[in-house]
Amino acid sequence: MRLIDLLRTGSFRLALLFLALFGIASMVLFGFLYLQTHEFVIANIDAWLGREAPKPFRSSVAEIERSFAAHAANNQGMEHVFVLYGPDGQILAGNPLPMPTDIATFDRPFNFQTQAEERRMRHRGIAHRMEGGDIVLIAQDMYETREFDEAFISTMLWGGALTVGLGLLGATLVGAGTARRLDDVALAIQRIVSGDLSRRLPSRGTAGDLDRLAHVVNGMLDDIERLMHEVKGVADGIAHDLRTPLTRILAGLERAQRRAASPEAYAAAIDDAIFEIRGVLKTFSALLRIAELEDGARRMGFSAVDLRQVARDVIEFYEPVAEEKEILLQLSCTDSGPIMLNGDASLLFDAMANLIDNAIKFTPARGRVTVELDHAAEGIVIGIKDTGHGIAAPEREAVLRRFYRSEQSRHTPGNGLGLALVSAIARLHDLTLAIEDASPGCCITLRQTRPALPSMI
Amino acid sequence: MARILIIEDDAGTANEIAAALTDHGHEVAAAGTGRDGLLRAATEEFGAVVLDRMLPGGMDGLAVLATLRATGNEVPVLVLSALSAVDERVRGLKAGGDDYLTKPFEFLELTARLDVLLRRRTSPQRETVLRVADLEIDLLTQTVTRAGQSIELLPREYRLLEYLMRHPGQVVTRTMMFEEVWHYRYDEPTNVIDVHVSKLRRKIEIAGAPPLIQTVRGAGYILHAPD
């Protein structure tokens, strides 16, 4: 991972921003503390000066000389300084501190620096000019404040360095972690784009933001993979379903070219070709119908439809077919009133007809096919039940796919689109198609998934 | 047989329709836009109009039809519509004596429907008895006789026969029968109709006599008196 990548990661930048904000806040806090403490120290000195100063200032020069000399004899250090200067700045009595060169104000505390024996000293003191021109100076060394300042600044520098160091380290770690995860995700996406559809985005199993995103994207990828397989299935189905009749057409036409001697033979070959092509077109029309139904545009032509009437009509339509196989085809209904559904009567007829057609096809002679209508509180249920060999559980989802032909149905006429069409019609009407075991046989139900919309009429 | 006006913007489709209708014996004229088609339909005499529902130029097929009817022109119209554009207005065409066909369609279907439209205008149906050869049905008592012998039919078989008898000598396709007898629209022709027809045949045909109902391969049926 390059540095530039790290610098570009959002979490690294965010960490830096927080570091800067924390730094500014610390500086403000430190400054405030410094000012407060400094003021406190100065106030302490000023209080001491206020206590010590008034007495000598009011005394005579002689008294001052005596008391200062006594103090100086007892205190060699320069911490507390009591000095009496002559008018020319010469030390008359007290601690040996040279007279400050610039006494800004008299009788008020002030800071000053003095140079004595190669040592620079800082004091805060109060000066008073006596009547004779002598100057009395009482001062306290500012050593303490300097010490405090130094300690304070070093603390601040060390603290700052530590904060910046730790902050940068943290930002780098977080940034690098994010960058690595993003690299993993980007790599996974590249693999998917290059065709490995079964690959998924890496997830750490936590509920972090990237994980949540990865979860959603993985769900989407599942869907895409399923759709791609479906498209492939349909494409394979079309290819297979077209190749067989096209091969037959070609063979027939070539045979006519080779052997047909009479106009009648040619006409027969053309008739055969037309018959086959019609079958191919039928497959295409069925596919287009399904696509169109999935579009939902046909909802525009919806009106109130009595399902009971449609069921009766379908049964009446299929009765002769059932009779030929000696299958009992009947309607079973819980109540006798009309069962209204907002929909397209022809499509509903088509769906039921397809299901009944299948049921009759796969039910052995002398079996039974029942159309059940139920207007339950939770919605309308249409069930087509037969006494055939049923659909094996693993196959139940597959039979809804376009062009799927089960082993048993492979040799019966049909294009494998019937149930896909029914499924599309059901979806258009907000019905859910389910394949259930009726033991013996199979029951295909269409269940209303949500309450019927108010009818348009 | 008749002059037919084709109003269709797609030249390829229009040519194919024209060829099919010419082969079927009709005389054909074509218009490419709604406006042009309306002008020709209003000024010339046609037996029927084949009208595409989707037309460019701000005037679609149903608008052409509405304008035509508003001017009192009663020429029968067959509307061609995409399946997704079949709504109440298109379905209502049948009630007004016109018809519609969804694209793509087979030309046999087109010519069969046109023949019915053309015939409907020339022969108003006021008869109470329909007769083809020695087969006779009485529309009032709903009884069927063949060569004087009464034949028992189920209600649906009777309606199927009535529909065939109303169009003697004309090809009726499975989808037309399905629409007229069962009153549903089925875009996929189904061979269940064949089972119904064969049941009907078993009841009305007489052994030895030439059959009245004949199968038209790939299209449907035709009922006519044997030559």
Side-chain angles (χ1 to χ4, degrees):
Chain A
M1 187 185 55
R2 289 172 307 153
L3 184 65
I4 187 86
D5 289 336
L6 179 64
L7 292 179
R8 277 193 192 131
T9 59
S11 44
F12 182 75
R13 288 180 177 192
L14 196 65
L16 282 191
L17 176 69
F18 275 112
L19 185 61
L21 285 176
F22 182 71
I24 290 168
S26 304
M27 296 283 276
V28 170
L29 184 65
F30 264 87
F32 183 70
L33 270 177
Y34 176 81
L35 286 178
Q36 288 285 312
T37 318
H38 202 77
E39 254 172 44
F40 176 72
V41 172
I42 297 287
N44 261 352
I45 296 175
D46 287 356
W48 179 79
L49 288 173
R51 279 197 310 275
E52 294 289 335
K55 209 176 82 189
F57 291 172
R58 282 196 302 274
S59 314
S60 66
V61 173
E63 251 177 275
I64 294 170
E65 269 181 13
R66 198 172 52 251
S67 72
F68 279 19
H71 173 84
N74 289 334
N75 296 284
Q76 291 299 318
M78 288 295 209
E79 199 171 331
H80 291 110
V81 180
F82 294 83
V83 209
L84 176 70
Y85 301 101
D88 53 354
Q90 182 197 355
I91 298 171
L92 297 177
N95 301 89
L97 185 75
M99 192 173 89
T101 47
D102 49 342
I103 297 174
T105 51
F106 286 93
D107 301 315
R108 266 172 53 203
F110 69 103
N111 296 340
F112 61 92
Q113 287 189 11
T114 50
Q115 195 80 32
E117 297 154 18
E118 303 294 307
R119 245 183 89 211
R120 180 185 290 257
M121 285 182 292
R122 292 177 65 220
H123 283 82
R124 183 171 174 85
I126 190 162
H128 180 71
R129 194 192 290 272
M130 306 294 283
E131 273 163 29
D134 294 338
I135 293 166
V136 182
L137 177 69
I138 300 170
Q140 186 177 344
D141 193 352
M142 298 239 320
Y143 170 78
E144 243 181 46
T145 41
R146 210 169 54 243
E147 281 284 280
F148 167 75
D149 282 3
E150 273 169 16
F152 205 93
I153 286 167
S154 86
T155 308
M156 201 172 80
L157 285 179
W158 278 109
L162 206 64
T163 308
V164 170
L166 277 177
L168 280 177
L169 185 70
T172 311
L173 285 178
V174 170
T178 311
R180 207 176 312 117
R181 286 213 64 193
L182 284 179
D183 280 352
D184 289 350
V185 169
L187 189 72
I189 291 176
Q190 272 167 11
R191 292 258 169 84
I192 294 163
V193 169
S194 66
D196 183 2
L197 269 180
S198 59
R199 208 176 163 88
R200 292 291 174 269
L201 300 192
S203 153
R204 282 185 190 162
T206 59
D209 42 5
L210 263 181
D211 268 357
R212 289 220 315 266
L213 193 65
H215 184 72
V216 173
V217 172
N218 283 343
M220 191 174 80
L221 287 171
D222 288 344
D223 262 3
I224 291 175
E225 193 185 6
R226 185 179 55 76
L227 288 173
M228 290 285 277
H229 278 300
E230 225 163 76
V231 168
K232 191 180 169 304
V234 171
D236 290 353
I238 293 175
H240 183 267
D241 262 52
L242 287 193
R243 207 183 52 172
T244 318
L246 284 179
T247 312
R248 274 202 297 265
I249 293 166
L250 188 66
L253 291 177
E254 280 176 347
R255 197 171 51 241
Q257 200 177 36
R258 271 199 319 271
R259 320 187 186 150
S262 61
E264 290 76 29
Y266 276 114
I270 289 173
D271 275 356
D272 286 344
I274 287 175
F275 178 79
E276 292 285 359
I277 289 171
R278 208 165 257 155
V280 173
L281 274 180
K282 224 168 121 173
T283 303
F284 269 116
S285 315
L287 274 176
L288 281 176
R289 284 193 73 200
I290 294 175
E292 208 154 35
L293 290 172
E294 284 177 344
D295 239 14
R298 274 192 86 160
R299 279 212 183 99
M300 288 196 307
F302 272 17
S303 58
V305 176
D306 180 9
L307 270 180
R308 178 194 302 277
Q309 190 54 49
V310 176
R312 268 200 214 112
D313 290 341
V314 183
I315 288 175
E316 203 246 39
F317 189 55
Y318 271 93
E319 214 137 48
V321 185
E323 262 168 36
E324 278 187 351
K325 263 185 101 173
E326 291 181 61
I327 287 172
L328 184 65
L329 177 61
Q330 59 191 10
L331 176 67
S332 144
C333 210
T334 45
D335 56 283
S336 54
I339 298 177
M340 301 309 285
L341 178 76
N342 191 37
D344 183 315
S346 292
L347 288 180
L348 289 166
F349 186 100
D350 199 355
M352 281 198 237
N354 255 295
L355 292 177
I356 292 177
D357 198 74
N358 273 342
I360 292 176
K361 218 183 272 176
F362 296 121
T363 301
R366 289 181 206 82
R368 200 170 58 242
V369 174
T370 316
V371 179
E372 294 176 337
L373 279 183
D374 188 14
H375 197 177
E378 55 269 25
I380 295 167
V381 183
I382 308 164
I384 315 285
K385 202 186 271 182
D386 65 43
T387 54
H389 46 56
I391 299 175
E395 266 195 316
R396 281 180 198 159
E397 204 173 312
V399 292
L400 299 178
R401 283 210 303 268
R402 286 162 220 190
F403 290 115
Y404 183 85
R405 309 290 305 271
S406 74
E407 274 314 308
Q408 291 100 337
S409 70
R410 201 161 289 279
H411 304 293
T412 56
N415 49 22
L417 289 172
L419 271 181
L421 183 74
V422 174
S423 174
I425 292 174
R427 259 200 304 280
L428 192 72
H429 288 86
D430 291 326
L431 298 167
T432 319
L433 189 148
I435 301 172
E436 285 150 22
D437 201 10
S439 52
C442 162
C443 179
I444 296 185
T445 56
L446 303 173
R447 262 193 197 87
Q448 211 163 26
T449 39
R450 60 178 115 131
L453 299 167
S455 98
M456 314 277 260
I457 296 172
Chain B
M1 273 156 63
R3 266 195 98 205
I4 313 260
L5 174 64
I6 303 167
I7 310 177
E8 159 73 70
D9 60 303
D10 181 62
T13 312
N15 285 343
E16 285 299 325
I17 296 174
L21 293 184
T22 310
D23 292 346
H24 198 66
H26 296 303
E27 196 187 319
V28 170
T33 65
R35 234 166 271 283
D36 188 20
L38 184 62
L39 195 70
R40 296 200 65 169
T43 52
E44 298 171 40
E45 188 69 24
F46 289 105
V49 176
V50 176
L51 175 61
D52 189 18
R53 185 183 171 168
M54 304 287 247
L55 287 171
M59 193 169 202
D60 84 333
L62 292 183
V64 171
L65 179 57
T67 316
L68 215 51
R69 292 290 181 258
T71 57
N73 192 323
E74 292 300 325
V75 60
V77 172
L78 178 68
V79 173
L80 305 178
S81 166
L83 188 56
S84 56
V86 174
D87 52 18
E88 282 310 319
R89 289 200 293 159
V90 173
R91 267 181 229 149
L93 290 171
K94 286 189 87 78
D98 296 311
D99 199 0
Y100 70 98
L101 194 54
T102 54
K103 287 178 167 183
F105 51 85
E106 291 181 21
F107 289 112
L108 267 167
E109 190 74 39
L110 176 76
T111 49
R113 280 173 193 268
L114 267 181
D115 285 348
V116 169
L117 281 182
L118 289 166
R119 191 75 62 92
R120 192 175 291 161
R121 201 166 69 139
T122 51
S123 62
Q125 295 153 8
R126 297 246 170 76
E127 311 94 330
T128 55
V129 174
L130 299 175
R131 202 173 285 113
V132 172
D134 53 356
L135 181 65
E136 198 177 286
I137 70 172
D138 187 324
L139 295 175
L140 295 178
T141 58
Q142 306 211 334
T143 49
V144 182
T145 52
R146 174 96 201 249
Q149 291 279 315
S150 170
I151 299 172
E152 285 297 318
L153 291 182
L154 295 172
R156 198 69 81 176
E157 289 163 348
Y158 171 79
R159 276 202 288 284
L160 187 56
L161 181 63
E162 181 193 330
Y163 180 64
L164 287 166
M165 298 277 280
R166 279 189 189 280
H167 303 97
Q170 284 182 307
V171 173
V172 290
T173 63
R174 291 188 184 87
T175 48
M176 285 160 76
M177 286 194 271
F178 189 60
E179 267 167 46
E180 295 299 328
V181 180
W182 280 272
H183 305 294
Y184 289 95
R185 186 88 186 189
Y186 215 175
D187 299 298
E188 239 1 80
T190 162
N191 51 8
V192 176
I193 301 265
D194 300 339
V195 182
H196 284 273
V197 173
S198 70
K199 270 188 79 182
L200 178 63
R201 266 181 177 157
R202 279 200 293 272
K203 290 192 178 173
I204 63 163
E205 303 288 7
I206 300 168
L212 295 176
I213 301 175
Q214 281 171 345
T215 307
V216 181
R217 197 182 169 197
Y221 297 93
I222 185 165
L223 177 103
H224 56 71
D227 303 321

